[in-house]
Amino acid sequence: MTNSPYIATSSADAAALKVGGDWTLAHYGALLPQVAEARPALDENSRADFSELNALDTAGASLLVELLGAQRLIALLSDDSLSDERRALLHTVATAMQQQQLVSEPPSRSTYREFFGHIGEVVEGIWHKVVGLLGFVGLTLGTLLLILLNPRRWRLTSLASHLEQIGLNAVPIIALLTFLVGAVVAFLGATILSDFGATIYTVDLVAFSFLREFGVLLTAILMAGRTASAFTAQIGSMKANEEIDAIRTLGLNPMELLVLPRVFAMLIALPLLTFVAMLCGMLGGAVVCVLTLDISPSMFLYLLQENIPLNHFLVGMGKAPIFAFLIAVIGCLEGFKVTGSAQSVGERTTSAVVQSIFVVIVVDAVAALFLMEMGW
């Protein structure tokens, strides 16, 4: 039968506090009010008598620390009535609670400091991403030069497979989307130009916009969402399953085996899809012109040939390989950043899509400003 714990004043000395009974977790609730009642009556010179203390565990030791204070309890551990085990237990608990009390509350951070600190973290993160992307671009170009000098190492089977997935399977969605956008651009242009009696220039509007901007931009954005995400998911799954480590163990180069076939396939497929997008966009504009503006197909082709120079087509096609390379590299890089969980695969796939679309739009805007200033 356990002894009930108690706190009492020693009959021989009013300044001495007698602690007895079982100070264990089972009696924690009963001891709390006694500790709260006895603590205000103690002073710095109060002593403690542990001779009648029976059982003791960490819960009881923590109550003794609250009753006497950590420093005073450590000073009282020289009591001969305490065994070595209890001295060690009380010293450990008192030291831990004293260190916890010494930990100061973290200073309150101002809203402005948190705001500008967050901006700094975002800018630093963007800088690290840019540096990482440039490094991966350099690594890809270096491996590309090695492969070009040794045609026997070209992986034509993998290239053909990726060409089918990237290019051939994407033709229907590219054609349908650009056809509809071309029809919308022609309809809006005709609506505005009809107020000036210049609906005939709808042909120039559709052709100019799709040859220079819309054809390649819409194709690149679709490929960023469709293909960059696929590259990241495929390589990321291999990284999570440690297949890339196995490739390195076999003495193979993951850049040569996984990245270059995808980059080559994208460099081939995106310009071809851009050409399809240009044709379908102008076809959608031609349908609107024929149905609503009474412009015959032969008249549409004549105006297209007379008013639209070849350089607009070359500008649009010239952007396609640049966009293709950036999209493929970003998709593969994010795949290699996967850490090993399904959540990481999803996060990196989303990041690849966002980064690809962002980079494509930024590069297109810079190219448009440069070409406009050059008069091209």
Side-chain angles (χ1 to χ4, degrees):
M1 181 176 181
T2 59
N3 297 324
S4 300
Y6 63 88
I7 303 172
T9 304
S10 176
S11 58
D13 188 354
L17 191 70
K18 181 175 290 187
V19 176
D22 295 338
W23 285 61
T24 58
L25 180 61
H27 300 89
Y28 190 86
L31 282 169
L32 275 177
Q34 298 184 48
V35 170
E37 181 180 356
R39 184 167 48 193
L42 298 178
D43 54 28
E44 297 180 356
N45 299 321
S46 298
R47 298 183 300 277
D49 181 8
F50 301 107
S51 60
E52 298 184 6
L53 182 63
N54 294 330
L56 178 68
D57 60 8
T58 54
S62 65
L63 287 175
L64 287 176
V65 174
E66 292 183 10
L67 175 64
L68 300 171
Q71 293 181 351
R72 189 190 308 174
L73 182 59
I74 293 174
L76 294 174
L77 291 180
S78 59
D79 191 343
D80 295 336
S81 62
L82 290 173
S83 62
D84 294 338
E85 292 81 1
R86 290 187 175 179
R87 286 196 188 97
L89 175 61
L90 289 172
H91 185 275
T92 302
V93 174
T95 303
M97 295 182 67
Q98 186 179 24
Q99 292 177 352
Q100 184 178 5
Q101 293 171 358
L102 292 176
V103 176
S104 60
E105 292 292 332
S108 59
R109 301 179 62 182
S110 64
T111 304
Y112 296 104
R113 189 173 182 178
E114 291 185 358
F115 175 72
F116 289 109
H118 180 68
I119 292 178
E121 292 176 358
V122 171
V123 172
E124 184 180 7
I126 293 175
W127 170 251
H128 288 308
K129 287 183 179 180
V130 171
V131 172
L133 178 60
L134 292 177
F136 192 76
V137 167
L139 183 61
T140 303
L141 292 176
T143 310
L144 181 62
L145 291 177
L146 294 177
I147 294 299
L148 291 177
L149 297 177
N150 191 358
R152 290 181 301 176
R153 300 174 66 177
W154 294 355
R155 300 185 176 276
L156 299 180
T157 303
S158 178
L159 176 63
S161 175
H162 288 302
L163 271 176
E164 179 184 4
Q165 297 174 7
I166 297 170
L168 187 61
N169 294 343
V171 170
I173 185 65
I174 294 290
L176 177 61
L177 178 67
T178 52
F179 178 86
L180 296 176
V181 173
V184 171
V185 170
F187 181 77
L188 293 177
T191 302
I192 299 300
L193 294 174
S194 62
D195 296 336
F196 305 96
T199 54
I200 194 66
Y201 291 106
T202 304
V203 178
D204 296 5
L205 174 64
V206 173
F208 184 84
S209 60
F210 269 88
L211 289 176
R212 288 187 71 96
E213 296 294 335
F214 284 171
V216 64
L217 188 60
L218 290 175
T219 303
I221 291 175
L222 280 175
M223 297 301 285
R226 182 180 182 274
T227 306
S229 60
F231 287 174
T232 303
Q234 292 166 0
I235 297 177
S237 298
M238 297 179 67
K239 181 74 178 296
N241 295 330
E242 300 182 355
E243 296 178 29
I244 295 179
D245 295 335
I247 290 174
R248 291 193 178 98
T249 304
L250 293 174
L252 300 175
N253 186 358
M255 295 294 297
E256 179 183 339
L257 190 67
L258 302 177
V259 177
L260 290 186
R262 290 173 168 82
V263 172
F264 280 134
M266 183 68 83
L267 287 172
I268 296 172
L270 189 58
L272 296 177
L273 291 174
T274 299
F275 182 73
V276 172
M278 292 176 178
L279 292 180
C280 292
M282 289 188 292
L283 179 61
V287 170
V288 172
C289 291
V290 170
L291 297 179
T292 63
L293 303 180
D294 295 330
I295 299 176
S296 64
S298 58
M299 177 63 71
F300 186 92
L301 293 175
Y302 174 79
L303 294 173
L304 189 66
Q305 182 179 2
E306 289 295 323
N307 299 338
I308 306 299
L310 181 63
N311 68 299
H312 298 316
F313 171 76
L314 296 179
V315 166
M317 292 299 297
K319 297 177 185 178
I322 300 174
F323 293 165
F325 182 78
L326 291 174
I327 292 170
V329 167
I330 291 174
C332 294
L333 174 60
E334 291 300 311
F336 280 108
K337 288 182 179 179
V338 172
T339 56
S341 62
Q343 180 181 1
S344 179
V345 174
E347 292 174 352
R348 291 302 174 183
T349 301
T350 303
S351 178
V353 174
V354 173
Q355 289 186 46
S356 300
I357 295 176
F358 177 79
V359 169
V360 164
I361 294 177
V362 169
V363 172
D364 183 72
V366 173
L369 294 175
F370 174 77
L371 295 173
M372 183 179 63
E373 291 296 328
M374 296 298 295
W376 295 348

